[in-house]
């Protein structure tokens, strides 16, 4: 089984729920009031106290929204390591966690959206990337420019930025604004990296081609293929917190200017 | 008695949940990134894996990338990666894949990463390589 956070949370909910339910049955059989305030054995006391809270957390996290901390710079400059993003869990349909079974359809992923999904290679890991190709699209990447169904996705040069990558190396990036079929967003490309051109990759039916905005430092569909529709978790809506772990003073840890940034 | 019964019921439900939870399926995922002109698809059985660049003329048809999450790194895992690489290469008509990199990493769990170049060797030249 995949022992990830949703399964651990559901396990605790099921255990506390079963203990509390069993105790309620005892109460009914003995004619005791269900919610009487009295000293109970530790396991029962804790199960009764925590079950409603854990159930609420489980329901909200599974069907409404979840906070997600971005660990890498693959979506830079849009999202940077240490950003906490608010993920809308129902945008791509309501799904029962752990089994990932669809309960209700809401909408399909759209081009340009930043989405959270299960890493196709290992479902215990969650990835966040931008939707580039929709089912049936033809994607080409020539000299670091995207072509979707033969149409060039225009880029506007914004400047040069030097910053540390995920491995602590100082790199120089060229910052561009890409117009992805009307969705304007910033991207990074590294002039020192080869282009890795490809032509006419056809996105299969029910699959999506995902890429990071940090085009030369992103582990994305170019490496492990497209993402199946069923593997989508939710849509990244905005940054609700940004934490700079390596700052010198405690009051510099929070990047206030990034909080509330819409994605 | 009440505490033990409640705890046992809780554990019973927990075991039922863990038994019903979906099992991990480890299958390789990958991508072929073609060059501008490719060939028509062939069978994966016709694709050969080359551990070094063959000493005959060939045409590069694209890049093949495969990743596999593994629990035990063995020849079975390596074969699964090679099979996937062959299948991807065959889809663009390549009859060979040169291994550029085959490396286990632990960045996002234990993952075996394969990077290769999909090539086409004309039949006559291929016979020379095989002999």
């Amino acid at each position: 089984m995949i022992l990830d956070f949703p399964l651990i949370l559901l396990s605790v909910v099921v255990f506390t729920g079963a203990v509390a339910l069993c105790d309620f049955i005892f109460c009914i059989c003995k004619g005791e009031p269900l919610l009487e305030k009295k000293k109970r054995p530790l396991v029962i006391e804790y199960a009764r106290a925590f079950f409603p809270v854990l159930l609420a957390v489980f329901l909200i996290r599974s069907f409404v929204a979840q906070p997600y901390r971005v660990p890498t710079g693959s979506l830079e400059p849009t999202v940077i390591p240490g950003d906490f993003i608010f993920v809308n869990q129902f945008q791509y349909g309501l799904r029962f966690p752990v089994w990932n079974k669809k309960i209700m359809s809401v909408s399909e992923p759209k081009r340009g959206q930043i989405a959270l999904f299960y890493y196709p290679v290992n479902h215990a890991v969650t990835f966040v990337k931008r939707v580039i190709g929709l089912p049936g699209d033809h994607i080409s990447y020539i000299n670091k420019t995207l072509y979707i169904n033969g149409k060039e996705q225009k880029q506007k040069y914004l400047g040069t930025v030097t910053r540390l990558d995920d491995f602590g190396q100082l790199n120089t990036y060229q910052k561009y604004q890409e117009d992805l079929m009307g969705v304007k967003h910033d991207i990074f490309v590294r002039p020192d990296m080869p282009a890795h051109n490809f032509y006419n990759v056809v996105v299969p039916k029910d699959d999506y081609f995902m890429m990071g905005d940090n085009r030369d430092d992103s582990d994305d569909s170019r490496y492990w293929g497209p993402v199946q529709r069923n593997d989508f978790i939710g849509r990244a809506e905005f940054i609700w917190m940004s934490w700079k772990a390596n700052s010198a003073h405690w009051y510099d840890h929070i990047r206030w200017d990034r909080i509330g940034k819409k994605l | 008695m009440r505490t033990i019964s409640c705890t046992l019921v809780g554990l019973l439900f927990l075991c039922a949940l863990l038994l019903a939870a979906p099992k991990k399926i480890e299958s390789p995922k990958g991508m072929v990134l073609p060059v501008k002109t490719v060939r028509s698809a062939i069978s994966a059985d016709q694709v050969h894996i080359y551990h070094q660049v063959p000493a005959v003329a060939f045409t590069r048809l694209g890049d093949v990338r495969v990743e596999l999450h593994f629990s035990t790194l063995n020849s079975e895992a390596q074969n699964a990666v090679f099979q996937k690489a062959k299948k991807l290469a065959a889809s663009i008509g390549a009859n060979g894949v040169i291994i550029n990199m085959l490396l286990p990493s632990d960045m996002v769990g234990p993952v075996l990463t394969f990077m290769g170049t999909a090539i086409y060797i004309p039949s006559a030249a291929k016979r020379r390589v095989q002999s």
Side-chain angles (χ1 to χ4, degrees):
Chain A
M1 85 197 82
I2 303 163
L3 197 64
D4 52 3
F5 186 73
L7 180 57
I8 293 168
L9 185 59
L10 183 61
S11 301
V12 184
V13 169
V14 165
F15 178 76
T16 53
V19 171
L21 181 71
C22 191
D23 188 55
F24 281 172
I25 292 168
F26 268 104
C27 286
I28 292 164
C29 292
K30 290 189 172 181
E32 294 171 9
L34 289 179
L35 303 170
E36 188 190 12
K37 284 197 173 174
K38 67 169 190 177
K39 187 86 180 149
R40 292 189 170 82
L42 205 66
V43 176
I44 296 174
E45 188 67 48
Y46 276 18
R48 275 172 161 251
F50 284 115
F51 173 66
V53 180
L54 291 166
L55 182 65
V57 171
F58 175 76
L59 293 175
I60 291 170
R61 196 186 179 281
S62 304
F63 304 117
V64 183
Q66 69 156 305
Y68 175 80
R69 184 182 175 277
V70 179
T72 70
S74 71
L75 262 171
E76 282 192 88
T78 314
V79 179
I80 63 176
D83 280 353
F84 288 76
I85 53 178
F86 180 92
V87 180
N88 177 334
Q89 294 281 111
F90 55 86
Q91 174 93 35
Y92 304 137
L94 288 183
R95 288 174 181 279
F96 195 81
V98 180
W99 286 271
N100 204 26
K101 290 271 180 272
K102 190 182 250 185
I103 303 165
M104 197 176 88
S105 292
V106 178
S107 71
E108 300 296 313
K110 290 185 178 64
R111 200 191 315 279
Q113 289 179 344
I114 294 177
L116 204 71
F117 55 93
Y118 296 110
Y119 173 39
V121 180
N122 177 9
H123 274 208
V125 181
T126 306
F127 270 27
V128 60
K129 305 282 173 201
R130 192 179 291 277
V131 180
I132 298 292
L134 304 180
D137 277 351
H138 289 241
I139 313 285
S140 298
Y141 190 61
I142 307 157
N143 296 325
K144 306 199 180 187
T145 300
L146 267 172
Y147 291 79
I148 298 173
N149 300 325
K151 190 171 177 245
E152 182 186 349
Q153 307 305 298
K154 297 269 188 236
Q155 293 177 358
K156 191 169 87 183
Y157 180 69
L158 298 177
T160 301
V161 180
T162 302
R163 60 169 69 190
L164 291 171
D165 66 12
D166 292 339
F167 305 100
Q169 300 266 323
L170 201 64
N171 285 314
T172 301
Y173 298 92
Q174 287 174 340
K175 190 176 177 180
Y176 290 88
Q177 186 188 63
E178 185 179 67
D179 186 348
L180 187 67
M181 298 272 198
V183 179
K184 287 182 180 168
H185 65 101
D186 294 348
I187 60 165
F188 270 170
V189 294
R190 275 176 60 177
D192 59 322
M193 296 286 276
H196 293 300
N197 295 341
F198 62 86
Y199 297 80
N200 270 322
V201 166
V202 183
V203 184
K205 187 174 169 278
D206 288 333
D207 285 2
Y208 294 82
F209 195 88
M210 312 296 289
M211 280 173 87
D213 290 346
N214 194 347
R215 293 288 158 80
D216 294 311
D217 280 329
S218 173
D219 182 17
D220 50 36
S221 283
R222 291 171 289 178
Y223 292 85
W224 30 255
V227 176
Q228 289 183 352
R229 175 71 190 81
N230 284 343
D231 287 345
F232 278 79
I233 298 170
R235 182 189 172 186
E237 297 273 7
F238 62 88
I239 296 166
W240 62 272
M241 170 56 90
S242 186
W243 188 259
K244 191 179 174 185
N246 55 357
S247 57
H249 307 287
W250 64 269
Y251 47 82
D252 284 336
H253 278 304
I254 298 175
R255 301 182 192 105
W256 295 99
D257 57 316
R258 296 192 62 76
I259 296 175
K261 187 185 171 191
K262 207 173 175 312
L263 299 172
Chain B
M1 176 62 186
R2 187 163 167 171
T3 313
I4 293 170
S5 305
C6 290
T7 311
L8 283 176
V9 168
L11 289 174
L12 203 70
F13 272 81
L14 184 61
C15 289
L17 168 72
L18 295 178
L19 285 172
K23 302 283 172 288
K24 204 183 280 185
I25 302 162
E26 287 168 351
S27 64
K29 302 285 176 196
M31 192 68 183
V32 61
L33 301 174
V35 296
K36 199 166 188 176
T37 312
V38 293
R39 301 175 62 86
S40 45
I42 57 168
S43 160
D45 300 334
Q46 294 171 260
V47 183
H48 189 265
I49 299 282
Y50 296 94
H51 291 263
Q52 51 194 331
V53 181
V56 290
F58 59 80
T59 313
R60 179 177 165 268
L61 294 184
D63 293 321
V64 179
R65 292 155 176 188
V66 181
E67 291 186 8
L68 171 72
H69 176 252
F70 62 88
S71 32
T72 317
L73 186 58
N74 50 22
S75 58
E76 207 174 296
Q78 185 177 302
N79 286 339
V81 166
F82 284 169
Q83 279 309 313
K84 180 72 179 178
K86 284 180 177 182
K87 197 176 160 192
L88 290 168
S91 70
I92 55 166
N95 60 6
V97 180
I98 305 167
I99 302 173
N100 297 329
M101 191 183 94
L102 181 62
L103 207 66
S105 68
D106 207 13
M107 293 273 287
V108 275
V111 170
L112 182 61
T113 304
F114 173 95
M115 286 193 190
T117 306
I119 57 167
Y120 175 75
I121 302 178
S123 310
K126 199 174 178 187
R127 277 197 296 276
R128 276 207 303 280
V129 174
Q130 280 161 354
S131 64

